[in-house]
């Protein structure tokens, strides 16, 4: 399988490198506006620690909303199922930054992967701590799951979002007005924007996702990150909500749980088999990586990978 996988990855990289249709980079976050849309990287990590790479797989990029998977994992570990009193588990069918349902549904976000839901998760993790401590805890968790200390938070990106993220500020204020935010909106937003500003490469991200392929254990370091049942639930949420209002189309085309970010990354999980990270900065109209989705569609088709 490894040989074939290597050849498939090289073919995908060679084909997509040439693509002229690459989508639009996330210009609304100023430091991301200047990222070269020609970048393309992909990494596949198998539970036996085999790592297969193609393209710019070792270049760090802004993980953005993919961090929501790890923040949710940490919040479930800290607070257990009580978090479901404050955030739902249904796809929203709306864009990631929408406030429409939040107002109608009295401040309970549809799921933890839209911005409103992730802001609630950030609030849960903040609890009575200072933002700096919570951000530090998250970074330590990411280094732990990846078994790699060369992961950092790009403060420049976080600051840019703190300065220009008026839509997220609106969501936080709506949550606060509805009694679903304990912390001060500015503090919670600071935490949320720092989570999003995590910088990782495809290789690192695919490693970080290994516990989601392996029933909650990192098979390489032989450490338990989360219970097996929780992993199934996190994967279910990635499948149903991981691509916002593009989640149905992603499930139809690719067929495995995955989470996207506006930095152009996607983390995708083939349960029991592989953890995949792909990066191409240009986005489709739902804010999901255009070529990243295409790459995963090609990879899963050729390897016959699907949860269905
Ligand atoms: N979909 C995303 O990656 C969005 C994350 C981004 N930080 C935002 O809040 O807008």
């Amino acid at each position: 399988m490894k040989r074939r996988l290597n050849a498939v990855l090289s073919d995908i990289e060679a084909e997509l490198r040439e693509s002229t249709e690459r989508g639009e980079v996330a210009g609304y976050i100023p430091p991301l506006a200047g990222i070269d849309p020609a970048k393309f990287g992909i990494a596949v990590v198998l539970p036996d620690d085999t790592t297969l790479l193609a393209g710019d797989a070792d270049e760090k990029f802004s993980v953005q909303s993919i961090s929501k998977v790890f923040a949710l994992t940490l919040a479930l570990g800290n607070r257990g199922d009580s978090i479901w009193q404050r955030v739902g588990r249904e796809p929203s069918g709306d864009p990631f930054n929408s406030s429409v349902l939040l107002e109608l549904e009295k401040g309970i976000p549809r799921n933890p992967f839209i911005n409103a839901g992730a802001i609630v998760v950030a609030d849960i993790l903040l609890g009575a701590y200072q933002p700096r401590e919570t951000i530090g805890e998250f970074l330590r968790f990411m280094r732990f799951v990846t078994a790699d200390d060369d992961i950092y938070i790009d403060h420049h990106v976080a600051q840019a979002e703190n300065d220009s993220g008026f839509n997220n500020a609106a969501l936080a204020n709506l949550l606060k007005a509805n009694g679903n935010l304990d912390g001060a909106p500015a503090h919670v937003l600071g935490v949320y924007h720092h989570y999003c500003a995590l910088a990782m490469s495809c290789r690192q991200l695919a490693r970080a996702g290994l516990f989601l392929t392996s029933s909650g254990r990192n098979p390489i370091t032989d450490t338990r990150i989360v219970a097996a049942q929780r992993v199934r639930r996190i994967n279910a949420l990635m499948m149903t909500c991981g691509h916002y209002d593009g989640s149905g189309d992603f499930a139809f085309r690719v067929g495995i749980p995955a989470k996207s970010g506006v930095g152009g990354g996607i983390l995708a999980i083939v349960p029991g088999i592989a953890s995949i990270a792909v990066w191409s900065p240009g986005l489709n109209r739902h804010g999901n990586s255009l070529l990243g989705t295409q790459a995963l569609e090609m990879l899963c088709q050729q390897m016959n990978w699907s949860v269905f």
Side-chain angles (χ1 to χ4, degrees):
M1 172 175 100
K2 290 172 193 169
R3 233 204 187 143
R4 175 158 160 65
L5 186 52
N6 221 2
V8 169
L9 291 180
S10 308
D11 288 352
I12 291 172
E13 196 259 337
E15 185 174 334
L16 296 185
R17 206 27 98 207
E18 301 302 314
S19 182
T20 46
E21 201 49 54
R22 306 190 80 87
E24 299 289 322
V25 300
Y28 79 96
I29 302 176
L32 301 188
I35 305 285
D36 180 2
K39 296 285 181 190
F40 179 88
I42 188 163
V44 178
V45 180
L46 309 180
D48 69 358
D49 203 12
T50 303
T51 303
L52 301 154
L53 311 169
D56 305 307
D58 275 318
E59 188 164 329
K60 289 192 175 63
F61 60 92
S62 196
V63 160
Q64 291 297 320
S65 282
I66 304 170
S67 65
K68 291 170 180 167
V69 173
F70 300 99
L72 172 66
T73 305
L74 195 55
L76 282 169
N78 287 359
R79 299 294 176 93
D81 286 335
S82 69
I83 73 160
W84 302 119
Q85 287 160 15
R86 295 182 56 188
V87 61
R89 305 186 291 253
E90 290 294 342
S92 70
D94 279 332
F96 63 86
N97 54 5
S98 177
S99 55
V100 174
L101 286 172
L102 191 59
E103 183 171 2
L104 287 175
E105 296 179 354
K106 309 263 179 293
I108 305 292
R110 274 287 173 107
N111 67 69
F113 294 157
I114 50 173
N115 286 13
I119 292 169
V120 168
V121 170
D123 184 56
I124 289 169
L125 287 170
L126 179 60
Y129 295 101
Q130 291 300 317
R132 188 187 296 266
E133 295 171 298
T134 307
I135 294 162
E137 180 195 22
F138 182 69
L139 184 57
R140 278 194 299 280
F141 179 65
M142 291 311 299
R143 289 175 172 168
F144 167 65
V145 292
T146 316
D148 186 346
D149 281 346
D150 180 29
I151 293 174
Y152 66 93
I153 287 174
D154 186 333
H155 294 283
H156 180 56
V157 172
Q159 190 57 48
E161 266 213 284
N162 274 340
D163 293 344
S164 64
F166 299 110
N167 193 80
N168 288 336
L171 294 173
N173 279 294
L174 210 46
L175 288 165
K176 187 77 179 168
N178 281 279
N180 198 10
L181 209 70
D182 293 332
H187 284 182
V188 181
L189 286 169
V191 171
Y192 167 70
H193 289 145
H194 278 80
Y195 289 173
C196 290
L198 193 69
M200 290 171 76
S201 66
C202 288
R203 181 203 293 266
Q204 292 173 321
L205 199 53
R207 270 183 85 95
L210 260 190
F211 78 93
L212 295 168
T213 72
S214 308
S215 307
R217 290 188 86 81
N218 180 331
I220 299 170
T221 56
D222 197 29
T223 42
R224 175 158 295 286
I225 314 290
V226 70
Q229 190 199 20
R230 286 230 164 100
V231 160
R232 284 195 288 274
R233 290 175 161 181
I234 294 166
N235 281 337
L237 287 167
M238 288 169 78
M239 188 88 237
T240 51
C241 312
H243 281 70
Y244 323 110
D245 47 343
S247 297
D249 190 57
F250 187 90
F252 183 87
R253 288 172 57 193
V254 183
I256 56 172
K259 181 74 205 83
S260 67
V262 291
I266 304 176
L267 171 66
I269 303 301
V270 194
I273 296 179
S275 173
I276 310 163
V278 60
W279 174 50
S280 172
L283 308 176
N284 64 19
R285 68 192 169 91
H286 299 299
N288 303 315
S289 176
L290 184 81
L291 294 188
T293 305
Q294 226 168 296
L296 289 168
E297 189 176 10
M298 292 160 83
L299 177 62
C300 288
Q301 225 166 57
Q302 291 180 48
M303 297 307 296
N304 207 15
W305 285 343
S306 171
V307 296
F308 297 109

